[in-house]
Each structure stands twice: as structure tokens, then as C-alpha cells.
Amino acid sequence: MEMLVIASIPKVLHLPQFISINQKHDRHRSFCCFGKNGESNDLSTGSFERDRDYMEVHQNQLQSINNKEEKQTDIWQLFREAQQNILYLNKQRLTAIEELDRVKNERQSLVNKIEQLEAKKQGNTRRDKLAISSELLLKIDSMVLTGIIGGREASDFRKLIMDSRGGVTDDLYDTIYKKDAELLAKLRHFSVKGKKKGFHIVHICTEMEPVVSVGILASYVTGISLALQRKGNLVEVILPKYAELNLDEVQGFREVEAQLYSYFNGQLHENKVWTGVVHGIGVTFIQPVYYSSFFSQERVYGYSNDFERFTYFSRASLDYIVKSGKQPDVLHIHNWQTSIIGPLFWDVFVNQGLEGTRILLTCQGFDSQCLEQPEKLALCGLDPSRLYRLDRLQDNKKAHLVNILKGGVVFSNKVIIMTSIQSKDQIISGLGHGLQPTLTIHKEKLLIAPRGFDKSIWDPSLDKFLPQNYSADNVNGKSVCKVSLQRHLDLPQQASKILVGCIYSDISEFDLENLKMLVWMASKKGVQFIFMGFSQSAGISTALEFFKEEMKDGNVRFIDNYDDELSHLIFAGSDILLCPSFDNLQLQVPLKALKYGAAPIAVRPADSRFRHFGDHDMEGTEFSLFINKTFAQLSLSQAVEEITKNPSEWNRRMTDAMMKDFSWDAECSDIHIRAYSSIKEL
């Protein structure tokens, strides 16, 4: 049997991808079959043409597929690289935006600091000029007291300085500390008579911040004096020279080398006169020589001879004004301590060159009036028989005594009552403390004025105690202040937390019980509380200690004493300030709260309605009208709810409040200027 040996050829030839080009193009390779005897079977190269063509086609298809896969792989690689590039570019863009924001914030911070420095510089420049003016006026007084010049020439010099606060003071700056003769020559060189532009006001009082500060009178005298002086008026202050005075901010404090005698108890008594400048305001201090013990005690008030002490000072002040040749437009007296000046002026001094002067009395309240025996009026030169009458100084209830504060009301041309909330009718009917008949008779001369605050100190856009300043136009810094306050007092640091402050100088038992209820209810909702202050009452102090023990809560903090620097941060960091009273006389919490974008809310039982505290007619203050329309009827729980549920409306309301001006320079000084204008026309 013949056997054939045939090379087997697969139908599909799988060639490796690395086949050489020579192999790929070798067209002369043949396949043969041989028989048993070696004969050829004639299977030549040509017989495999179809298979070879088939393999070439298939190989080309495989190559095409491989090329497509490579292209797809390349496309995905490019896509992934593009994604990575996009992510990188986004990251770079975000970094650039953050850097730009940082630069913008730094720039804005720098601009704010520059503006603050410029404002401070301008304020210091203005204060320096006012200080020079005041020193010039005091030098003129000294020259009158020593007989160098007469009262008429002194009056002309004062008008010159009042009308040209800037120019003349600059020219006289180098001369002010030289001899009186050189200063006088320069004054006469510049002396020109002109129409006086503002009022010349002399305060005769017992306190002035920061020289001597006991109660609310001190901040009022300084605040209103600065505000009036900023509006172009000349303001001076006369004080007793107490043994304890804060002279740190008194410029040019010195004793005047001149003798001043004043009448008391049937004789003339010598006094020493000291002068200085406080915040640009000329201040004169009167020191009794014979009655040296009058003002050498440790306290300002609270002695059995207070009537004698302040009556002596009042009479000596008037004697000083006459001898120094002053002719002020207004003698501004305060409370009962200098009310005796009213009858003294009209009965003794008005015809001693003071015919054009008028009297204005300011009362911080009517709870302290000073009742004395009628015969004691003679100590200062008054005639008791003329004044011991019901329509003059005789007390309305204790008919055997005279009432010194009543005398001030009767003999003053205008009376300003300091209150931010009450109306005139409310004071007459409910807060007169026995003076209701007198106040009713003299109702037309009564004026209501709100207290204020020093906006050069209490302004969040300029406040040096804040980590970041802010204003109604840009309140971003307020949240920074909140977090800073939380960190300082170790409270949970979160700007979204509602923070309630409470700054008090004293508090009643009723208010304390209300506080407990408010804190218990609100702290459970995550509201944070900060209490700062003290009580002069031993019983209330003990109750406050128990309150602290009861309120050992992570959201409540207590600061036992008033800290002025920290109080700025509390106003700035709080959303709400709880107020025992809207008529806060000592600390002015409601007024400052509004300026710092915090809502003043009354301390009262939760969700109860606040009593309608004023008739809000034209006799009410702008502050009372505003507070009644906005926050007077709002409880703490209602305020918290509104902040939580309607933050945009709450922020709008607080921004509107921040734009209001309740400083001394606003309504308060305007009312005083209207009063001065009115009495000068009498």
C-alpha cells in the first residue's frame, strides 16, 4: 500500500505579532507530498495561493484590530491625563481665589487700621487744639485774678479764642507757657471783636469723669461737655478740689498764684484756685483754706454737713466767676448739691456783671433733695425770710423745712430731667418724690433729655478692644468677636450659637428670680449666657452666689466684677443683652447694645408682655419711641425664636438699630442747645 506523507496545514494560521518582515513577505516557500518511492505528488507553491491570500487578509484584519485597540488605549490615557489636568487647574484656581481673598482681607484690615489711626490722629489734633484753647482761657482767668487785665478786656479775649479755635491757638502755642506779659502782648495783637458763634457754658458741679467719679453725674458732665464743645460751644467746669482726685488725665494742673475770697457764715474766707485741662475742657478746682476739712474727707457724699460743704462751694464758685470777669451765657448747675446757686444768682450776683447770664438746672432724678432748717440759708448770704415760702424753697410736705432742690427748680430758667424712657407727665405724676406740685407749676420749663455714651470709645468700627472691627455696612467682624468671647470664657466656640449677655451694676430680687427662669428655659435650647457685674446689696450678692451654684451649666458663665475692657467684647459678641431696665443710668447698656448690633431685651418672666412704659407723645425721647417700636414688647424666648427662624429679618432689624445715633452728640446735646437758645431769649 502506498503511503502518502502530507504536511498538515491548519485552516487558521495564528502568527505571532513579532513575525519578521522577511517571513511576512516570503512568497517562495513550498509544500510537497512524496510517495513511497519518493515521487513527487506535484503539490507545488501555486496550490497554496488561496490559503496564503486568506492568511494575509486575516493577518491584516488582526493588525487593524490591534491598531484600533491601541488608539482606544491612547484616547483613554489622554482622557485620564486631561481629567488630572482639570483637577489640578481647579485646585490651583481655588488656591488663587483663597490667596486673593486673604490679600483682600489683609488690605481691608490695613485700610481699617489706617482709617482708625487717621481718626485718632484727627481726634488728638482736635483735642490738642481744644486743650490749648482751654489753657489760654485759664491763663486769662489767672491774669484777671492777679489784676493784670480787667474784666472787659478778658471778655474780649475769650470771644477771640471762642471764635477762632484753630488759628489763634496755633499762633499762641509757643507763648502759652511764657510770662503773662508776652502772652498778653500777643493776645492784644490778635484781639478783634466779632460776633460770638457758640454759647459759653460753665458747669458748676461735684463730679466729672475721670477726675472724680461716684455716680451717673460724672459721665454726664464729661459726655455732654465734650459733645457741646465739638459743636462749637465753649465749655468750662468748676469742681471742688477733693483730697482724692484722679489727675492722670489732667493736663497742665497747677495752682493759680492769686487770692480768691468768698463769703460764708458772715465772713470772707480765702480759697486756693487750681486749673487744668481734661479732654480739652478747662477745669477750675476750688480749695477752701479755713474750711479745709470740707473736701479733705475720703468720700464725696454722705456726711452730716453736706449742705454746708456744697453751699460753701456754690457761693465760692460764683465769687470766682465774678472776680475772673467771666460773663458766661449759661451757668449749668446739677442736682441739689449746686441748686442753691439758683436763688444766690438772682438775689446776690445777677447785677455784678452777669446780667446776660441765665441758669439751667439738670436733675438726674428727684429722689435726693436736701431738706434743711430755713435759717441755714443765711450761711451763704441769702435772706431766709424771702425764700421760706411755699412758692419758693419751703418744702411741700415738711413745711418747717426748706427744700434745696426745689429752690433750684423754682429759680432756674430751664430744668432738664435726664431719662431715656419716661415722659414729662410720668415724672411729674409718679417720680417727683414730693415735688409734684412744684413740677406741675413749672411744667413749661421742664425738658426731657436721654442719656448718651461717648461714641469715640463705644463704636464697633473703631473699638480698640475688639479682635476685628465691624459696622452696619459690614458686620462680618461681629461673628469673629463672638468666637473670641466664647474662647476667652471657655464656652463652646460656634458663631451660630445664640449668645446672651447681661451687664449690670445692681439688680433687684425680682429681676434675679426672672433671670433664673429665663436662663433655665433658654440654656436647655443651647443658648449661651454671660453675666457680668456686682450688687452693692449684701442680700443680693448672696442670692447671686446661690444662683451661680444652681447654674453650673456648660453654657453659662459669671464674671463677678465689672471689667470695662471685657464689656466691649461682650457687647460685640452678644446677640442679645438682657437689661434689668431700659433706663439704665449707670452703664447705658441698652444704648451701647444697639450700637454694637445686640438686641436689648427686658428682664421679665418668659413670654409675658412688657408693660407700656411711656405715653410716647412729643415729650418722649427718640430712644423711647424707637425702643418701644422694636424691642420693648419682645421677650427673650421670642427673640431667640426670631433669630433661629428668621435670621435675615433679624439681621436687617439689627443693622437698622446700629445706624441709629444715641450718643451724647445726638439728641441729648441737641436738646441742651435748644434749652440754651431758649433761655438766652428770655
Side-chain angles (χ1 to χ4, degrees):
M1 179 178 177
E2 294 183 351
M3 296 186 64
L4 293 177
V5 180
I6 301 173
S8 177
I9 300 175
K11 291 183 179 180
V12 180
L13 183 62
H14 295 281
L15 298 177
Q17 292 185 3
F18 51 82
I19 185 170
S20 69
I21 296 176
N22 291 331
Q23 291 174 321
K24 187 176 179 182
H25 295 282
D26 189 357
R27 295 180 180 272
H28 303 286
R29 187 162 302 190
S30 61
F31 296 86
C32 300
C33 294
F34 295 92
K36 180 179 180 183
N37 297 322
E39 304 93 346
S40 172
N41 60 2
D42 293 329
L43 289 175
S44 64
T45 304
S47 64
F48 291 98
E49 281 295 327
R50 287 192 303 273
D51 290 330
R52 188 181 68 245
D53 291 341
Y54 174 81
M55 288 190 297
E56 269 192 25
V57 170
H58 187 69
Q59 185 175 350
N60 289 336
Q61 290 176 343
L62 289 173
Q63 187 64 36
S64 176
I65 291 172
N66 290 335
N67 290 339
K68 288 181 180 179
E69 289 178 350
E70 289 176 0
K71 288 181 180 179
Q72 289 177 349
T73 302
D74 292 342
I75 291 171
W76 278 109
Q77 181 64 26
L78 290 172
F79 180 74
R80 283 193 295 270
E81 290 178 357
Q83 279 186 320
Q84 291 175 354
N85 289 335
I86 291 170
L87 291 173
Y88 175 77
L89 291 173
N90 282 337
K91 185 177 180 180
Q92 291 295 102
R93 183 177 65 84
L94 292 174
T95 302
I97 291 173
E98 290 175 357
E99 181 66 16
L100 181 61
D101 289 340
R102 186 186 65 79
V103 172
K104 285 182 178 179
N105 291 334
E106 288 182 355
R107 179 181 177 277
Q108 187 60 45
S109 178
L110 183 61
V111 170
N112 291 338
K113 287 181 180 179
I114 292 173
E115 290 176 351
Q116 291 175 29
L117 290 172
E118 286 294 330
K120 186 176 181 180
K121 180 181 177 182
Q122 292 176 4
N124 289 337
T125 301
R126 181 173 179 81
R127 181 172 290 182
D128 289 343
K129 289 186 177 182
L130 292 174
I132 295 169
S133 299
S134 296
E135 287 193 51
L136 282 170
L137 293 168
L138 293 172
K139 289 280 284 185
I140 292 170
D141 295 347
S142 177
M143 286 190 282
V144 175
L145 291 173
T146 53
I148 297 176
I149 59 175
R152 185 178 296 276
E153 189 175 23
S155 180
D156 291 341
F157 289 157
R158 291 188 186 103
K159 291 177 182 177
L160 169 66
I161 293 169
M162 286 175 62
D163 293 344
S164 54
R165 283 289 178 87
V168 173
T169 54
D170 290 340
D171 291 325
L172 293 175
Y173 178 76
D174 294 332
T175 316
I176 191 170
Y177 297 112
K178 294 185 178 181
K179 293 181 179 180
D180 289 343
E182 294 182 59
L183 176 60
L184 182 58
K186 282 236 175 183
L187 282 169
R188 285 172 173 163
H189 174 74
F190 286 108
S191 181
V192 289
K193 292 186 178 181
K195 186 177 179 181
K196 191 167 53 177
K197 297 178 181 178
F199 294 106
H200 181 190
I201 305 141
V202 177
H203 290 275
I204 304 176
C205 51
T206 55
E207 296 181 45
M208 180 188 186
E209 195 176 62
V211 182
V212 52
S213 181
V214 178
I216 58 178
L217 176 61
S219 59
Y220 162 72
V221 170
T222 304
I224 194 63
S225 297
L226 290 172
L228 292 169
Q229 195 146 278
R230 282 191 287 265
K231 293 190 175 184
N233 302 284
L234 171 62
V235 183
E236 298 181 75
V237 176
I238 303 178
L239 291 168
K241 187 181 182 299
Y242 301 101
E244 298 292 331
L245 290 174
N246 177 15
L247 300 177
D248 292 344
E249 297 188 49
V250 181
Q251 296 177 329
F253 184 71
R254 65 186 181 89
E255 182 180 355
V256 177
E257 298 298 329
Q259 292 181 328
L260 171 66
Y261 288 91
S262 62
Y263 179 88
F264 191 75
N265 197 19
Q267 298 181 42
L268 291 176
H269 297 281
E270 184 182 357
N271 302 277
K272 293 182 178 180
V273 177
W274 303 72
T275 60
V277 178
V278 179
H279 301 324
I281 301 168
V283 183
T284 300
F285 302 87
I286 295 178
Q287 180 183 11
V289 175
Y290 181 78
Y291 289 101
S292 59
S293 63
F294 276 176
F295 301 109
S296 62
Q297 296 102 320
E298 182 179 350
R299 303 192 309 271
V300 173
Y301 310 118
Y303 297 99
S304 60
N305 65 340
D306 275 358
F307 170 77
E308 288 83 357
R309 295 169 65 226
F310 295 117
T311 297
Y312 181 97
F313 165 69
S314 297
R315 172 74 196 227
S317 297
L318 289 171
D319 285 319
Y320 167 75
I321 288 171
V322 170
K323 185 168 183 180
S324 63
K326 293 180 187 292
Q327 295 177 324
D329 296 299
V330 179
L331 289 179
H332 196 145
I333 60 179
H334 301 267
N335 299 336
W336 77 259
Q337 284 84 1
T338 53
S339 283
I340 199 72
I341 287 174
L344 262 176
F345 175 82
W346 293 110
D347 283 9
V348 179
F349 286 91
V350 66
N351 294 321
Q352 298 185 40
L354 298 174
E355 292 83 1
T357 301
R358 296 294 179 263
I359 306 294
L360 187 141
L361 168 67
T362 291
C363 292
Q364 304 295 326
F366 294 104
D367 52 332
S368 181
Q369 300 178 12
C370 187
L371 304 183
E372 279 293 346
Q373 298 295 329
E375 55 270 20
K376 281 193 174 184
L377 296 175
L379 288 173
C380 61
L382 291 171
D383 183 357
S385 63
R386 291 191 65 253
L387 300 174
Y388 182 51
R389 292 169 34 177
L390 192 59
D391 61 339
R392 296 185 181 177
L393 269 70
Q394 185 179 13
D395 188 62
N396 296 328
K397 291 185 176 180
K398 298 181 180 181
H400 63 291
L401 301 175
V402 290
N403 187 318
I404 306 305
L405 183 59
K406 178 182 176 180
V409 173
V410 172
F411 283 89
S412 293
N413 299 105
K414 285 286 183 183
V415 178
I416 292 181
I417 303 168
M418 298 303 298
T419 175
S420 296
I421 294 299
Q422 281 82 21
S423 69
K424 186 190 297 188
D425 288 335
Q426 276 186 311
I427 290 172
I428 292 174
S429 61
L431 300 171
H433 295 277
L435 286 179
Q436 289 89 336
T438 304
L439 297 175
T440 301
I441 292 171
H442 296 275
K443 182 177 180 179
E444 293 305 314
K445 69 166 68 170
L446 304 182
L447 295 172
I448 302 297
R451 289 183 61 82
F453 59 88
D454 188 345
K455 64 181 181 181
S456 68
I457 299 174
W458 294 98
D459 183 346
S461 66
L462 302 171
D463 198 323
K464 63 181 181 180
F465 296 121
L466 302 185
Q468 183 173 325
N469 296 116
Y470 62 95
S471 65
D473 295 328
N474 184 359
V475 296
N476 293 335
K478 187 168 177 65
S479 60
V480 176
C481 293
K482 177 188 284 189
V483 173
S484 177
L485 178 61
Q486 291 168 332
R487 185 185 307 114
H488 181 78
L489 296 175
D490 196 26
L491 285 165
Q493 297 174 33
Q494 192 174 348
S496 60
K497 285 271 189 182
I498 297 176
L499 199 156
V500 179
C502 183
I503 302 175
Y504 57 90
S505 57
D506 213 336
I507 194 167
S508 68
E509 289 186 30
F510 177 74
D511 287 334
L512 186 56
E513 289 302 316
N514 288 342
L515 273 178
K516 291 180 182 180
M517 185 185 302
L518 291 172
V519 174
W520 276 112
M521 294 181 66
S523 63
K524 302 302 180 184
K525 300 178 181 179
V527 177
Q528 296 176 337
F529 287 86
I530 298 173
F531 294 93
M532 183 172 76
F534 63 94
S535 175
Q536 296 178 349
S537 167
I540 296 297
S541 297
T542 303
L544 282 169
E545 289 299 323
F546 283 120
F547 182 30
K548 295 177 191 177
E549 291 297 320
E550 294 174 9
M551 289 307 306
K552 286 186 176 179
D553 188 297
N555 287 323
V556 183
R557 295 291 182 271
F558 291 90
I559 300 136
D560 292 333
N561 295 306
Y562 180 76
D563 183 326
D564 186 65
E565 182 174 341
L566 181 57
S567 71
H568 286 251
L569 190 57
I570 293 176
F571 278 112
S574 298
D575 300 293
I576 296 170
L577 262 297
L578 284 175
C579 305
S581 169
F582 280 132
D583 206 6
N584 183 279
L585 302 178
Q586 186 70 33
L587 300 175
Q588 295 306 306
V589 170
L591 304 180
K592 295 172 184 175
L594 293 172
K595 186 64 178 178
Y596 280 71
I601 301 296
V603 175
R604 54 189 172 160
D607 296 319
S608 69
R609 300 303 294 172
F610 183 73
R611 64 186 178 85
H612 192 71
F613 54 75
D615 51 17
H616 308 295
D617 54 17
M618 293 303 292
E619 296 175 344
T621 65
E622 292 178 9
F623 172 77
S624 67
L625 296 173
F626 176 78
I627 204 72
N628 188 56
K629 291 178 181 177
T630 52
F631 302 107
Q633 307 297 330
L634 202 62
S635 70
L636 178 62
S637 61
Q638 290 170 331
V640 170
E641 184 177 5
E642 186 168 341
I643 294 174
T644 304
K645 294 185 177 180
N646 198 355
S648 59
E649 175 60 25
W650 180 266
N651 292 336
R652 184 200 61 77
R653 184 189 294 197
M654 295 317 306
T655 300
D656 291 344
M658 290 179 68
M659 296 176 69
K660 298 288 183 182
D661 187 1
F662 294 118
S663 67
W664 295 116
D665 297 73
E667 182 183 9
C668 184
S669 63
D670 291 341
I671 291 173
H672 281 71
I673 291 172
R674 288 201 298 269
Y676 298 149
S677 301
S678 175
I679 60 179
K680 282 298 292 180
E681 295 174 357
L682 296 176

